[in-house]
Amino acid sequence: MTINRQYSFWGSLSPLGGLAGAGLLIMASARLSWAITVAGSLLWVFGLSTFSFAFLLSAMGKKFFPAEGRKALFTCLSAFFGSTFLLMFWFMCPFAAFESFMLLLLVPLYCTSTGIMEQIQLQYERNQGDIFEHVSDAVSQAASLAVLLVVFAVVREPLSYSSLSLPGSSSGMVTIMHFASNSFFPIRIFASSAGALFVLGYIICLYQFGKDRINPGDNK
């Protein structure tokens, strides 16, 4: 079974189905600008880390690439590419990078904890390893959380701040939409983690209901 099947959007081990990325989802979705930044970092770190690890594993083999050090190597690769993304983003927009600094540091940790390395290692031991398939599966997994981040931020930021923002400008973000100040919104509770959990719980209920309707045998 490939990573894509296990971690597809409707799979039981997806970021929403298993809540593997719930912490990152709650923190990064407070602003759309943060969500877009973290989404880009997810695609960058997952894709390049997987490609580098699979390439090294196929090129060096078991003799020069012992199993005991593979987890540490994959962690170092994820941290390296996460730092590279942060550095490039810092050069382009330092204030936006400063705002999302902590969130970007969590992306390599999330990448390491998803089980990608174990899945690649297992397939290479069975002589079924394919670099581009691994990269495609890893990017698909990262894209599923990236899409959730952006969609959740589009719902949450207007409820919290009556606005939508994009990364950039000298102030760190650009406001692209602002609602009237005398409207029903903002409901400031949604800006906090507690409010995000309320929204996330409602979305999870809808998700689980839809998943049971579309694929009722997944939970058996």
Side-chain angles (χ1 to χ4, degrees):
M1 182 180 294
T2 63
I3 297 177
N4 192 33
R5 291 183 180 179
Q6 294 186 52
Y7 294 97
S8 62
F9 184 82
W10 292 105
S12 59
L13 296 179
S14 65
L16 188 56
L19 294 182
L24 194 59
L25 179 65
I26 290 173
M27 290 184 287
S29 62
R31 293 282 190 176
L32 180 59
S33 60
W34 300 350
I36 293 175
T37 302
V38 174
S41 179
L42 283 168
L43 297 174
W44 175 274
V45 172
F46 272 69
L48 293 180
S49 299
T50 304
F51 175 80
S52 301
F53 181 79
F55 176 77
L56 290 173
L57 188 59
S58 62
M60 302 179 69
K62 299 179 180 179
K63 183 175 181 180
F64 300 100
F65 202 4
E68 291 76 9
R70 293 175 185 176
K71 184 71 172 181
L73 177 62
F74 187 78
T75 303
C76 293
L77 289 173
S78 301
F80 172 75
F81 288 114
S83 302
T84 303
F85 181 88
L86 177 59
L87 181 61
M88 292 189 304
F89 190 59
W90 189 284
F91 286 145
M92 291 187 294
C93 190
F95 286 101
F98 181 77
E99 287 181 340
S100 55
F101 182 80
M102 183 59 67
L103 300 174
L104 294 178
L105 292 182
L106 295 178
V107 172
L109 299 178
Y110 171 67
C111 179
T112 306
S113 66
T114 52
I116 294 177
M117 187 276 296
E118 290 81 359
Q119 185 70 22
I120 296 175
Q121 179 176 292
L122 179 62
Q123 292 195 15
Y124 271 102
E125 290 177 354
R126 298 175 178 176
N127 296 321
Q128 299 176 349
D130 182 74
I131 295 178
F132 295 102
E133 180 182 357
H134 294 316
V135 173
S136 176
D137 290 343
V139 171
S140 297
Q141 181 182 352
S144 65
L145 181 58
V147 170
L148 290 175
L149 275 172
V150 174
V151 172
F152 196 40
V154 169
V155 175
R156 184 181 172 192
E157 186 175 0
L159 291 175
S160 303
Y161 304 103
S162 294
S163 63
L164 284 175
S165 59
L166 292 177
S169 80
S170 58
S171 60
M173 64 179 65
V174 178
T175 301
I176 59 174
M177 186 179 299
H178 188 76
F179 302 98
S181 59
N182 58 351
S183 61
F184 176 74
F185 306 111
I187 305 175
R188 293 294 183 182
I189 187 175
F190 291 118
S192 63
S193 297
L197 287 173
F198 287 139
V199 179
L200 181 61
Y202 180 75
I203 293 176
I204 289 173
C205 290
L206 295 178
Y207 166 78
Q208 296 292 351
F209 177 79
K211 186 175 70 171
D212 291 339
R213 287 298 184 91
I214 295 175
N215 191 9
D218 186 66
N219 294 327
K220 295 181 180 180

